[in-house]
Amino acid sequence: MSTIDPVDARRRREAARIGSPAALTGVVIGLLMIAVGAALETRALFGFAEFDDMAATDQPPLAIFGMIVGLPLLIIGFLVHTGASRRFTGKLLSAPVVGPGSILFVGLAAGAWWGVLALSSPGAFWLLPIGLSILAVVLLLIGAIARARRRSHKDVLAHLLTHGRIEQGVIVEIPEIDPSSGGLLGTVTVRFTDAAGTDRWVQKTGQWPRRDLPATGDPASVLYDPSRPADTSRIWLAPAGSTTAADFTRWHS
């Protein structure tokens, strides 16, 4: 028996990890593993093209054996990044700093350049690193735009916490989850009454671990712009009694 609430203690530990240097270090390590693993996998593919350059020997190119190391690095890297990102942001699915998909293609492109430069006569193989590099740049740009939008949303949230209005609403619909699921990434529908006495319904996509998953009929706090109550991009949902920016980002993906 303990005099400390274990559920509250766990939540405090998780809250302390959000934004922590240790969690960020895990994110960076995961990204490095993904990049190196992807580079080794692509380089290994070019190893098969080196057989023509090694006609005088019956030994396979050493680059091929990089495939044995690259695949485990990729798998472990994604697992490390997912876990560390969840601890760093407190969300089920998240990608702080830069997304793993972008880094995957950066690694693939690096491995392709490494491989094509090792060939004595690359020929059309030059197209592969060029194409992968273009994809990597495009994904990095998309990620940068997405992060800029998230920063803009945070600025709007900060403004509304000062100049907006918080009403109590009620959850009228939220998807059910499988008993084996650890949480939910889905859409919640909340009904609330604005300052003018008009009933409104708003739907938002959010993330919830199983222990924090609300149910239909539960109360919820609704933060909105009273001058633009119909603008759903300026509406945030959170557990009942919420008043801070951290509260109003818990339910949003």
Side-chain angles (χ1 to χ4, degrees):
M1 182 178 293
S2 173
T3 58
I4 299 176
D5 183 348
V7 175
D8 181 65
R10 183 180 64 242
R11 288 177 175 171
R12 289 178 181 273
R13 288 195 302 270
E14 292 176 352
R17 286 197 295 261
I18 294 177
S20 69
L24 181 59
T25 299
V27 171
V28 173
I29 290 173
L31 291 176
L32 287 174
M33 295 177 71
I34 292 170
V36 173
L40 288 174
E41 287 296 299
T42 316
R43 177 65 182 92
L45 294 177
F46 278 87
F48 291 101
E50 293 180 51
F51 276 113
D52 292 338
D53 295 342
M54 303 182 66
T57 178
D58 58 357
Q59 298 298 321
L62 291 176
I64 292 178
F65 295 100
M67 189 176 294
I68 300 174
V69 179
L71 185 58
L73 273 178
L74 272 174
I75 295 172
I76 296 172
F78 272 103
L79 292 174
V80 170
H81 180 269
T82 300
S85 295
R86 181 172 179 176
R87 290 191 294 273
F88 185 79
T89 65
K91 294 183 179 294
L92 296 173
L93 297 175
S94 59
V97 185
V98 63
S102 302
I103 293 300
L104 172 67
F105 275 89
V106 169
L108 292 174
W113 283 110
W114 181 11
V116 78
L117 292 173
L119 298 177
S120 59
S121 300
F125 283 110
W126 280 107
L127 296 175
L128 185 57
I130 292 172
L132 288 172
S133 297
I134 292 173
L135 282 173
V137 171
V138 169
L139 289 174
L140 287 171
L141 287 175
I142 291 174
I145 292 171
R147 287 190 295 276
R149 287 180 176 174
R150 286 196 293 269
R151 284 194 296 270
S152 176
H153 289 164
K154 288 182 180 179
D155 291 340
V156 173
L157 174 58
H159 174 79
L160 289 180
L161 284 170
T162 303
H163 301 93
R165 187 180 179 94
I166 298 177
E167 301 284 0
Q168 179 168 301
V170 60
I171 297 174
V172 296
E173 185 180 38
I174 189 168
E176 295 183 359
I177 62 174
D178 186 88
S180 62
S181 175
L184 170 69
L185 172 62
T187 302
V188 61
T189 304
V190 172
R191 175 176 57 82
F192 72 101
T193 303
D194 65 19
T198 302
D199 287 338
R200 297 186 181 276
W201 286 259
V202 60
Q203 290 185 316
K204 289 287 184 177
T205 300
Q207 299 182 36
W208 300 267
R210 170 177 287 279
R211 63 180 177 276
D212 293 336
L213 185 66
T216 300
D218 284 354
S221 291
V222 182
L223 172 65
Y224 71 102
D225 187 342
S227 65
R228 299 161 60 181
D231 187 352
T232 57
S233 67
R234 300 174 70 84
I235 295 178
W236 272 262
L237 306 177
S242 295
T243 58
T244 67
D247 293 333
F248 281 98
T249 55
R250 282 176 58 188
W251 284 6
H252 290 254
S253 60

